[in-house]
Amino acid sequence: SCFLRHARSRNYVSESEVCKLESVPLDFGDYHPLKPITVTESKTKKMNRKGSTSSTSSSSSSSMMDPLSSVLDGTDPLSLFAAAADPVATMDSTRKKRDKDDSSAVGSDFEPWSSKRGDILARYTTTEKLSICINVTRNSNMSFFTGKTTTTGSAVSEKVRTRLEELDDLEEGSQKELLNLTQQDYMNRIEELNQSLKDAWSSDQKVKALKIVIQCSKLLSDTTVIQFYPSKFVLITDILDTFGKLVYERILSMCVDSRVSLPDNFSPESVNDTAKETCLNWFFKIASIRELIPRFYVEAAILKCNKFLSKTGISECLPRLTSMIRGIGDPLVAVYARAYLCRVGMEVAPQLKESLNKNFFDFLLTFKQIHGDTVQNQLIVQCVEIPLYLTLYSPAIDWILQCIAYRAPEVLLTEMMERCKKLGNNALLLNSVMSAFRAEFIAARSMDFIGMIKECDESGFPKHLLFRSLGLNLALADPPENDHLQILNEAWKVITKLKNPQDYINCAEVWVEYTCRHFTKREVNTVLADVIKHMTPDRAFEDAYPQLQSIIQKVITYIHDFSLLFSVEKFLPFLDMFQKESVRVEVCKCIMESFIKHQQESTKDPVILNALLHICKTMHDSVNALTLEDEKRMLAALINGFIKMVSFGRDFEQQLSFYVEARSMFCNLEPVLIQLIHSVNQLAMETRKVMKGNHSRKTAAFVRACVAFCFITIPSLSGIFTRLNLYLHSGQVALANQCLSQADAFFKAAVSLVPEVPKMISVDGKMRPSDAFLLEFLCNFFSTLLVVPDHPEQGVLFLVRGLLNVIQDYTWEDNSDDKVRIYTNVLHLLSAMTQEAYIYHVDKVDSNDTLYGGDSKFLAEINKLCETVIAQILDHLKTLGKEETLKRQSQLALYFFNTILAHGDLRNNKLNQLSVNLWNLAQKHGFADTETMMKTMEYIKRRSKRPEMSHFADLALRLPLQSRT
């Protein structure tokens, strides 16, 4: 009971000075941590001539140097050691690296076939029934793959006869035809064949593997379901690629010596005879295939194996294979065969451009076949229109032209374009040229291409697809500036006449980007209006959400001035076409992300505010009971980003009105409400700062309105600690603005909410005990209560008393000491309240030190509270006397001892004796940490050397240190 009556008198200013770190002057010279590092490099030059000595030169550089750079430039000790040990090997590796770098291998700027594969399979589909015809034969003899050589003539003739018999067996065995397959069934069967190929190969059934590849290749001559042919080509050539890889790796493995393997750029001379013989056997076997198409495809698949036989093998085979394709009568089958040859050629010998060009020119020579009677009759039988048929050629021609155009000189590209011009009805080729050639090449000749497009026959390849291809190029490269408007007019004249909504939107989507890149909001508005006009009838927009989303994305990519964007008359009506909620929300999220990313300054533009409030409301209204928490957080973050960017300057009333409107619109997202409360509190503090303490009635009324906003909003939040902390924060803001009754209301609300704190709370999705969070909050609350003045109509320290009652009644865990730790912190508060001048104050708010002026009745009330608190602490310490709780008793006794040490006047005998008793209790049962006790003793002895703390010396003598033995 003597604790506060004998609380230590504190001089906070002098204590602060004593605790400051001692400043030591340092002479930095020219050094400053933010200056560039200066590295001094010493170079030692050794002279070999007799009598010469080493000379050392130093140079300085002020540039930043990476300390790891010396490791990465090849001068690390291991590299130097390796170079010294084997200089020849080092030279060889350097030469190999140079050869590799200088080779004409395809670079990363070449789009691989694998990236086109998925698009082709998705685009070229069918609902018609498909069939697969497969030969079923007995297991074939595999002796001809062993690589063994024979010398006698009879043996050779026997070998040839065996090969021919095996070939007959492969091509004329009993057939099994699978009919009426759906597209998915067909694809599954092809995948099964691919797996069968791998299984046969792994089980050393090489002939069976070859048989599978031959049968699959034959399928490429079948065009009975012609619209599926491009996808069939993709599936079958996957099997051919697998076969080619297996054969190559098999032969390569035969070249591997036990000591060394072949380098990547090996020469045929380094290949052993066994590997060469096996390779030749493969080519002989393939040459014996009777039908042209499988013979061509299988040989093309193993084209790379020519590297084992001859340096010129690939360059000799490519022209021969190119000529073989001339024997394929169906132009569609032939063009895909050329595409496959170009594909393999680019993989194994991309430098052999002549073969690529020859394939394309051969195709041009046979181009007129497309319009011949044979093809036309086939289309009539299959009920396929010529425009659809022509689109089947696109993947193959696009690939051939991409291979030709890769790093090709402009002269060659110009020649290709001129050759296309000479052909009648060249829309198909023109489209492929625009798809394959460099965008810069196309853009520079935009008007030439538009002229060629206009001359094309409308009944053939659709013109709108040509304009789409042109638009894709112009999205990547700019045409001549003088042509900008004419290009847009020519393209849009064609696009706007399209009747089919899907054809229209596919083109419009591409040209919107060109419009945004080169024109003003007037042209953008015209384009958006035209899209609305075409897509609104019969709700056509419902089938075009991806394209419409793409249009919005392109518009906000190029227009970052949102005042300009929302002044585009048709922008918001365009958003109305997104009737499907999930799509509409995604579009709104894109717009908000762009606003947060690009809006540099806060805004009060009514056009922006109205539009974005509408967009944010759309996002907010999409939230329901099934919405995931992550989605809620994302939406709230976007809305909060918008709220933070709104500022009306010193028009505080308008700012508050905006926050009130936002609260009514976004009431279902708690993070938004929390942000609004913080924003309103900040607004109240800004008002105080701007007014510089000159509180007029109008200002006071405004601040009270801010306070009322927070007081009304906080109860709607679900998080208990969110509410507690916001009550505390808002009360602090009210106090800072001299709104004392409102501050009291916040603090009372916080006190009344403490009993509702549950034992467990959810933190990041996991249930955790709430004690630590409550302890932290109450400590913060105590710090605020020090400066809160008593209400004239309430009792002394009414808030502190109320809080202590709540703490007393709160149900604490049996194994928890948090209640006593809180009571100990209350003693800190009560000790601070007895000081003549408090350690801190709120500007223009008189705290109890001023109101009571150290009045004895006030101090007596504090002392009564102190008696109650200390009694609670000591009672709790007694309850911990059981064996299982002795360690907790020791820790709490030391904690209470430190409180008395810091805040009590230990010149009082009773208080001095209490501290000694607590010290002994902490050590009584051997649970005290010896190191902690020793450091505490050192602190007491150090403090005793100060004149006003000399009595600590006597205390130190009364505090024994018990060592554990």
Side-chain angles (χ1 to χ4, degrees), residues 513-533:
E513 184 165 1
Y514 175 79
T515 309
C516 294
R517 276 167 68 101
H518 300 295
F519 296 96
T520 64
K521 75 169 188 176
R522 185 172 70 89
E523 289 79 9
V524 173
N525 190 63
T526 301
V527 169
L528 294 182
D530 197 60
V531 174
I532 294 171
K533 176 184 172 184

Side-chain angles (χ1 to χ4, degrees), residues 528-546:
L528 294 182
D530 197 60
V531 174
I532 294 171
K533 176 184 172 184
H534 278 78
M535 301 307 294
T536 302
D538 301 323
R539 300 178 67 85
F541 53 75
E542 291 182 343
D543 298 321
Y545 284 139

